[in-house]
Amino acid sequence: MLREFTPADAPFLLGWIAGPGELLTWAGPTFNWPLDDRQLQAYVDETAKGARRTWTAADPTTYEPLGHASLRLSGDGTARLGRVLVAPQARGRGIASMMLPEILAHAFGPLGLLSLNLGVYEHNAGALGIYERLGFTTYEVLKDVEHVDGVPWTALQMRLSSKDWR
Ligand SMILES: CC(C)(COP(=O)(O)OP(=O)(O)OC[C@H]1O[C@@H](n2cnc3c(N)ncnc32)[C@H](O)[C@@H]1OP(=O)(O)O)[C@@H](O)C(=O)NCCC(=O)NCCS
């Protein structure tokens, strides 16, 4: 089940990200490793101020948080889908496949957004496949934008318009 994120969910995120590469994969270069309470509080504050809409996917029986994602609202009818993360122990069980369509339905429904964009590293095959299945297409390739342990990472910028959804 998907519900609004609450600050009490933030500590779970700390436990789901095991190293600097995972942090970069999750959120791009926004945060510094190690992720800590101060950085998470700033992230929580963005939601509290209305700049973001943030959700938690929870186990319907135990209510344990298992997934996370948010929309950063631009104020011009667009938003950036990001911070997509599923608890390591819960991956491969369809949580992202449940969570993301619900968020898109909310974005293009009640929120009335015209388009969504996102960034994903090209080698992140799991996430990329999910976004492609949702209808996102690449509009820009940022080649070798990051280097991790000497390996260049290329980022894809993807977009989905409300008219192309469903
Ligand atoms: C990417 C991520 C959110 C996927 O969440 P998930 O709940 O495990 O995904 P699902 O179980 O819903 O899988 C959806 C589909 O993607 C496929 N998939 C998921 N992870 C995959 C992987 N690592 N490699 C290849 N395919 C993968 C599944 O097989 C499934 O395919 P199907 O619909 O044909 O059955 C999760 O692996 C994660 O949190 N990764 C780390 C953070 C991250 O990469 N975030 C995205 C940043 S842009």
Side-chain angles (χ1 to χ4, degrees), residues 15-16 64-66 86-91 93:
W16 296 351
E64 177 194 6
L66 295 175
V86 169
Q89 72 277 12
R91 288 182 193 162
R93 286 175 17 198

Short mmCIF file of all heavy atoms in Angstrom, two decimals, residues 15-16 64-66 86-91 93:
data_model
loop_
_atom_site.label_atom_id
_atom_site.label_comp_id
_atom_site.label_asym_id
_atom_site.label_seq_id
_atom_site.Cartn_x
_atom_site.Cartn_y
_atom_site.Cartn_z
N GLY A 15 19.00 2.85 6.45
CA GLY A 15 19.32 1.42 6.45
C GLY A 15 19.26 0.77 5.08
O GLY A 15 19.70 -0.36 4.91
N TRP A 16 18.68 1.48 4.10
CA TRP A 16 18.52 0.89 2.78
C TRP A 16 19.67 1.25 1.83
O TRP A 16 19.69 0.78 0.69
CB TRP A 16 17.20 1.35 2.14
CG TRP A 16 15.97 0.92 2.87
CD1 TRP A 16 15.89 0.03 3.92
CD2 TRP A 16 14.63 1.35 2.63
NE1 TRP A 16 14.60 -0.11 4.33
CE2 TRP A 16 13.79 0.69 3.56
CE3 TRP A 16 14.06 2.23 1.70
CZ2 TRP A 16 12.41 0.88 3.59
CZ3 TRP A 16 12.68 2.42 1.74
CH2 TRP A 16 11.87 1.76 2.67
N GLU A 64 5.20 -1.99 7.74
CA GLU A 64 6.64 -1.71 7.66
C GLU A 64 6.94 -0.98 6.36
O GLU A 64 6.51 -1.43 5.28
CB GLU A 64 7.40 -3.04 7.70
CG GLU A 64 8.89 -2.91 7.55
CD GLU A 64 9.58 -4.25 7.26
OE1 GLU A 64 8.87 -5.26 7.06
OE2 GLU A 64 10.81 -4.27 7.22
N PRO A 65 7.69 0.14 6.39
CA PRO A 65 8.07 0.81 5.14
C PRO A 65 8.97 -0.09 4.28
O PRO A 65 9.93 -0.67 4.78
CB PRO A 65 8.84 2.05 5.61
CG PRO A 65 8.35 2.29 6.99
CD PRO A 65 8.11 0.91 7.55
N LEU A 66 8.62 -0.20 2.99
CA LEU A 66 9.40 -1.04 2.08
C LEU A 66 9.83 -0.30 0.82
O LEU A 66 10.67 -0.80 0.07
CB LEU A 66 8.57 -2.27 1.66
CG LEU A 66 8.19 -3.26 2.76
CD1 LEU A 66 7.29 -4.35 2.21
CD2 LEU A 66 9.45 -3.87 3.39
N VAL A 86 13.65 0.90 -3.06
CA VAL A 86 12.95 -0.21 -2.41
C VAL A 86 13.91 -0.85 -1.43
O VAL A 86 15.12 -0.99 -1.73
CB VAL A 86 12.42 -1.21 -3.46
CG1 VAL A 86 11.93 -2.50 -2.82
CG2 VAL A 86 11.30 -0.57 -4.29
N ALA A 87 13.43 -1.19 -0.26
CA ALA A 87 14.27 -1.84 0.76
C ALA A 87 14.96 -3.05 0.14
O ALA A 87 14.32 -3.84 -0.56
CB ALA A 87 13.40 -2.29 1.93
N PRO A 88 16.28 -3.21 0.37
CA PRO A 88 17.01 -4.31 -0.29
C PRO A 88 16.35 -5.67 -0.11
O PRO A 88 16.29 -6.48 -1.05
CB PRO A 88 18.39 -4.26 0.38
CG PRO A 88 18.54 -2.85 0.83
CD PRO A 88 17.16 -2.37 1.19
N GLN A 89 15.81 -5.93 1.08
CA GLN A 89 15.22 -7.25 1.34
C GLN A 89 13.89 -7.45 0.63
O GLN A 89 13.37 -8.57 0.58
CB GLN A 89 15.04 -7.48 2.85
CG GLN A 89 13.94 -6.68 3.53
CD GLN A 89 14.32 -5.25 3.92
OE1 GLN A 89 15.35 -4.75 3.50
NE2 GLN A 89 13.49 -4.61 4.72
N ALA A 90 13.34 -6.36 0.06
CA ALA A 90 12.02 -6.46 -0.57
C ALA A 90 12.09 -6.29 -2.09
O ALA A 90 11.05 -6.24 -2.75
CB ALA A 90 11.10 -5.39 0.02
N ARG A 91 13.29 -6.22 -2.64
CA ARG A 91 13.40 -6.01 -4.09
C ARG A 91 12.99 -7.26 -4.87
O ARG A 91 13.09 -8.38 -4.37
CB ARG A 91 14.84 -5.61 -4.45
CG ARG A 91 15.11 -4.20 -3.97
CD ARG A 91 16.50 -3.69 -4.31
NE ARG A 91 16.73 -2.47 -3.52
CZ ARG A 91 17.88 -1.91 -3.28
NH1 ARG A 91 18.99 -2.45 -3.79
NH2 ARG A 91 17.98 -0.82 -2.55
N ARG A 93 10.00 -7.99 -5.73
CA ARG A 93 8.66 -8.47 -5.34
C ARG A 93 7.57 -7.58 -5.89
O ARG A 93 6.43 -7.65 -5.45
CB ARG A 93 8.56 -8.52 -3.81
CG ARG A 93 9.33 -9.69 -3.22
CD ARG A 93 9.39 -9.75 -1.71
NE ARG A 93 8.43 -8.95 -0.98
CZ ARG A 93 8.58 -8.64 0.32
NH1 ARG A 93 9.63 -9.05 0.99
NH2 ARG A 93 7.66 -7.92 0.93
#
